[in-house]
Amino acid sequence: MVRLEKVNGKNVWDILKLSVEDNQKDFVASNDVSIIEAFTTITNNGYAYPFGIYDDDTLVGFVMIGYDKDDYWDDAPKIADNNYNLWRLMIDKRYQKKGYGREAIKLTLDFIKTLPCGKAEYCWLSYEPENQVAKKLYESFGFEETGDMDGEEIIAKLKL
């Protein structure tokens, strides 16, 4: 059974060992960068929820959720205001193409719908224009491109 587990002192080192294929490295930040961003967000009174993705006891990936924007995020897209963000999603190269990404998104959206940070109208995310696999996966959940960009990435949103 696929489940999410908060990043903690026991699993963080295994999460840091996860990786994607070389041709995917431009599509997602490394997990060490993501965990550092989560830490700095949380210590500055922001919201970040980093999770390991598990199939029973096997670690297969990493996902991170954010909410709103932080004071230091000068160029945050407007949609970040008071909305949830599927900030990061990666499935280790050994476990790709087995449905874990789809299951992780479902679990992530279920978590977001508990409104851990309060009400929001949308969950949003961004992805590289070249990442057609991610685009199709997100569209299958109802995410729609907004026409806006987050740096070089396309923004898509899902009404909660």
Side-chain angles (χ1 to χ4, degrees):
M1 181 174 94
V2 179
R3 62 184 174 83
L4 302 180
E5 182 178 312
K6 287 183 182 178
V7 172
N8 59 56
K10 289 184 178 181
N11 67 11
V12 68
W13 303 109
D14 291 330
I15 289 169
L16 293 175
K17 294 175 189 173
L18 298 175
S19 63
V20 294
E21 297 289 351
D22 287 342
N23 65 345
Q24 298 169 320
K25 289 185 177 175
D26 290 339
F27 295 155
V28 65
S30 64
N31 292 343
D32 56 347
V33 168
S34 296
I35 291 169
I36 291 167
E37 288 178 341
F39 175 80
T40 59
T41 297
I42 293 165
T43 58
N44 285 290
N45 300 313
Y47 301 96
Y49 297 90
F51 294 100
I53 304 164
Y54 287 83
D55 184 358
D56 292 323
D57 292 328
T58 302
L59 177 65
V60 300
F62 173 80
V63 65
M64 189 162 77
I65 303 158
Y67 177 78
D68 204 26
K69 63 183 182 190
D70 300 312
D71 293 340
Y72 66 86
W73 196 5
D74 296 329
D75 58 348
K78 182 71 177 145
I79 189 130
D81 293 335
N82 301 309
N83 285 308
Y84 290 91
N85 171 235
L86 200 165
W87 194 349
R88 297 281 155 64
L89 172 65
M90 67 83 64
I91 303 299
D92 185 85
K93 59 188 172 188
R94 297 168 294 167
Y95 302 104
Q96 292 184 7
K97 299 181 182 171
K98 297 178 187 233
Y100 291 122
R102 175 170 298 286
E103 195 63 29
I105 292 172
K106 180 184 176 308
L107 292 170
T108 300
L109 291 173
D110 288 347
F111 175 79
I112 288 170
K113 289 175 183 175
T114 69
L115 305 175
C117 302
K119 290 193 175 197
E121 187 174 0
Y122 296 105
C123 175
W124 69 279
L125 51 79
S126 62
Y127 54 88
E128 297 287 340
E130 300 83 21
N131 193 347
Q132 293 299 304
V133 172
K135 175 183 176 161
K136 288 177 185 173
L137 178 61
Y138 299 140
E139 285 177 344
S140 75
F141 280 90
F143 281 90
E144 297 177 345
E145 293 181 1
T146 65
D148 296 325
M149 302 289 282
D150 182 13
E152 300 290 317
E153 296 184 353
I154 296 168
I155 293 175
K157 67 182 180 180
L158 175 70
K159 183 117 169 107
L160 294 174

